[in-house]
């Protein structure tokens, strides 16, 4: 009879699109920039085109100026602050099944970590969210100066957790990030929802996850 798999010492989650639902804020951001509904597609393109630099430490006002510049708009400090609040709120809706999974993992004393590509203002907001009580480590790219899928971010993660790559199971909704984590030696799975995650965790020897209540 084959031996049971050794459970991962740490389970590591991405934030956006995994713990949080995808943002619903882009139409409101477009409105604040003076663009109507057909302009949402343009705002979306500009928003994501500038996001990598924001995730790596660019300050809020500079990010929104860069987004607005792509749209022939201008943004002052007050509007940048407002857009930041809207942006954070847009990434702050959560699937109840995912929150139940985090609660169940926390209840069985699983070591949980967060590894998110997120700017620093966003990071400070996430740290205050109630579900973070289940996590022992919260790591954000804006604080680290590097972002997924860069090779260096996996070294930082492993150093902060004090483990070898094979002792981590990582969930992310980005295929490039999953592949990069695997190249670094981590066990990594593409996020397909909390029920699939429960199946993956059970298959790797994590007990007590029979299903969401």
């Amino acid at each position: 009879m084959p031996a049971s798999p050794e459970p991962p010492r740490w389970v590591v989650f991405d934030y956006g699109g995994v713990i949080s639902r995808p943002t619903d804020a882009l139409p409101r951001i477009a409105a604040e920039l003076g663009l109507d509904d057909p302009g949402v597609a343009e705002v979306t393109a500009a928003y994501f085109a500038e996001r990598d630099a924001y995730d790596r430490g660019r300050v809020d006002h500079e990010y929104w100026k860069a987004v607005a510049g792509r749209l022939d708009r201008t943004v002052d400090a007050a509007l940048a602050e407002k857009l930041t609040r809207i942006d954070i709120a847009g990434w702050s809706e959560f699937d109840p099944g995912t929150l139940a999974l985090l609660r169940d993992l926390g209840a069985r004393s699983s070591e949980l970590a967060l590894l998110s590509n997120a700017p620093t203002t966003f990071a400070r907001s996430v740290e205050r969210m109630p579900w973070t009580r289940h996590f022992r480590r919260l790591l954000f790219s804006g604080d680290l100066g590097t972002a997924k899928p860069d090779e260096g971010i996996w070294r930082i993660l492993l150093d902060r957790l004090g483990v070898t790559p094979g002792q981590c199971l990582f969930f992310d909704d980005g295929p490039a990030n999953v592949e990069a984590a695997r190249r670094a030696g981590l066990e990594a799975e593409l996020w397909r929802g909390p029920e699939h995650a429960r199946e993956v965790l059970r298959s790797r020897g994590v007990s007590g996850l029979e299903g969401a209540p």
Side-chain angles (χ1 to χ4, degrees):
M1 183 176 179
S4 298
E6 185 72 21
R9 282 189 58 188
W10 285 84
V11 182
V12 184
F13 290 89
D14 177 37
Y15 176 78
V18 175
I19 295 177
S20 83
R21 289 173 168 154
T23 183
D24 61 1
L26 290 163
R28 188 175 173 194
I29 290 170
E32 291 292 340
L33 291 172
L35 296 165
D36 56 15
D37 286 345
V40 173
E42 297 174 23
V43 170
T44 300
Y47 175 96
F48 285 109
E50 297 293 340
R51 200 71 182 185
D52 185 64
Y54 194 28
D55 288 340
R56 293 170 185 271
R58 177 182 279 180
V59 299
D60 300 333
H61 191 188
E62 291 301 317
Y63 169 68
W64 293 112
K65 280 173 59 179
V67 170
R70 287 177 175 265
L71 303 165
D72 295 323
R73 296 292 193 275
T74 59
V75 170
D76 61 17
L79 180 55
E81 183 177 347
K82 184 175 185 180
L83 291 170
T84 300
R85 292 196 302 270
I86 294 169
D87 188 37
I88 292 170
W91 289 102
S92 300
E93 294 293 327
F94 307 103
D95 181 284
T98 301
L99 296 182
L101 172 62
L102 300 180
R103 184 194 64 220
D104 290 351
L105 286 168
R108 64 175 305 283
S109 300
S110 296
E111 303 280 25
L112 302 186
L114 180 77
L115 182 65
S116 175
N117 282 0
T120 56
T121 302
F122 196 100
R124 303 294 81 80
S125 177
V126 171
E127 289 169 344
R128 297 190 294 272
M129 293 179 179
W131 53 265
T132 60
R133 69 184 184 276
H134 302 304
F135 285 73
R136 285 196 59 197
R137 296 286 186 273
L138 301 170
L139 283 75
F140 301 95
S141 61
D143 298 324
L144 303 177
T146 184
K148 296 175 290 184
D150 291 359
E151 181 180 351
I153 201 165
W154 312 110
R155 292 196 298 269
I156 294 171
L157 172 69
L158 296 170
D159 181 64
R160 298 285 179 91
L161 303 186
V163 293
T164 61
Q167 294 174 310
C168 290
L169 173 60
F170 173 63
F171 289 100
D172 197 294
D173 66 323
N177 296 336
V178 171
E179 290 303 316
R182 289 173 177 168
R183 288 195 299 272
L186 284 74
E187 298 289 330
E189 290 287 337
L190 188 66
W191 180 257
R192 295 187 175 93
E195 288 310 310
H196 176 258
R198 286 176 184 271
E199 293 175 9
V200 170
L201 288 158
R202 288 195 298 267
S203 75
R204 284 166 169 76
V206 178
S207 61
L209 296 176
E210 284 68 30

